[in-house]
């Protein structure tokens, strides 16, 4: 297979290693959406949720990782 074809899987794998509990936390946030503000159905998970996952309760200098987790959450198995 060609590199462009394999690249998304490699990126997803990298984020899975960086944030090993991220996909579990995404599922938990989505399961608790009513208690967490009940965001619109069209929204998979607000970026505030992915920010919480990436920041682990701390302030981030750059929220880019949170945006990346938000994007890749759509592509992980079960997403």
């Amino acid at each position: 297979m060609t590199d462009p074809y394999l690249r998304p899987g490699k990126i997803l794998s990298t984020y899975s290693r960086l944030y090993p509990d991220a996909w579990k936390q995404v599922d938990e946030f989505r399961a608790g959406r009513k208690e967490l503000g009940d965001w619109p159905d069209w929204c998979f998970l607000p970026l505030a949720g992915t920010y919480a996952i990436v920041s682990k309760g701390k302030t981030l200098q750059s929220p880019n990782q949170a945006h990346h987790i938000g994007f890749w959450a759509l592509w992980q198995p079960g997403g």
Side-chain angles (χ1 to χ4, degrees):
M1 290 188 214
T2 64
D3 185 57
Y5 180 80
L6 297 174
R7 194 173 304 144
K10 289 178 182 178
I11 295 170
L12 182 58
S13 178
T14 298
Y15 279 100
S16 295
R17 281 193 308 278
L18 287 171
Y19 305 100
D21 295 326
W23 315 130
K24 178 182 163 202
Q25 290 174 300
V26 165
D27 292 340
E28 289 171 356
F29 282 152
R30 288 182 41 80
R33 72 186 303 149
K34 298 284 184 201
E35 296 81 27
L36 295 172
D38 197 22
W39 55 87
D41 289 337
W42 55 261
C43 181
F44 184 78
L45 178 68
L47 287 177
T50 58
Y51 186 90
I53 292 167
V54 171
S55 69
K56 298 177 183 165
K58 299 182 173 135
T59 301
L60 298 176
Q61 294 298 322
S62 172
N64 288 341
Q65 297 285 42
H67 293 100
H68 294 167
I69 291 290
F71 173 79
W72 288 105
L74 296 171
W75 292 95
Q76 59 91 19

